[in-house]
Amino acid sequence: PRLLAEVCLKLDPPNYADAKTALTVYLGSPPRLPPPVLAGLKLTLARVYAALNEPRNAKAWLDQLGAAAPPDVQAAAKVQLAQM
């Protein structure tokens, strides 16, 4: 599902609905990647929700980013939150 989401987001125009489904399924399954990578995927999912005009869901994913998130992901999340 993770790779499917990446492909959906690279389409022109991006297929946000399918990307949202794929990322939600992937992040809802047992983690297979290190926490910093998962944090980046959560940020991507939050951006997808924002693009779909679902700020409440976007904020919920951004709120899940913790100290394990790399500094660049934390900074991008703060920018995203400020824009909502």
Side-chain angles (χ1 to χ4, degrees), residues 3-4 7 12 14 21 39 46 68 72 82-83:
L3 297 176
L4 174 62
V7 170
D12 187 22
T21 301
D72 60 323
Q83 292 174 343

Side-chain angles (χ1 to χ4, degrees), residues 1-6 8-9 15-29 41 44-46 48-49 52 54 61:
R2 179 178 56 95
L3 297 176
L4 174 62
E6 289 179 22
C8 289
L9 293 174
N15 185 341
Y16 292 117
D18 286 346
K20 175 181 82 169
T21 301
L23 284 170
T24 302
V25 167
Y26 188 80
L27 290 170
S29 64
L41 292 175
T44 300
L45 182 54
V48 168
Y49 273 114
L52 291 170
E54 298 181 35
W61 282 102

Side-chain angles (χ1 to χ4, degrees), residues 28-60:
S29 64
R32 291 172 245 157
L33 296 172
V37 177
L38 291 175
L41 292 175
K42 290 176 183 180
L43 175 63
T44 300
L45 182 54
R47 288 177 173 161
V48 168
Y49 273 114
L52 291 170
N53 200 24
E54 298 181 35
R56 186 175 304 161
N57 291 325
K59 185 178 181 320

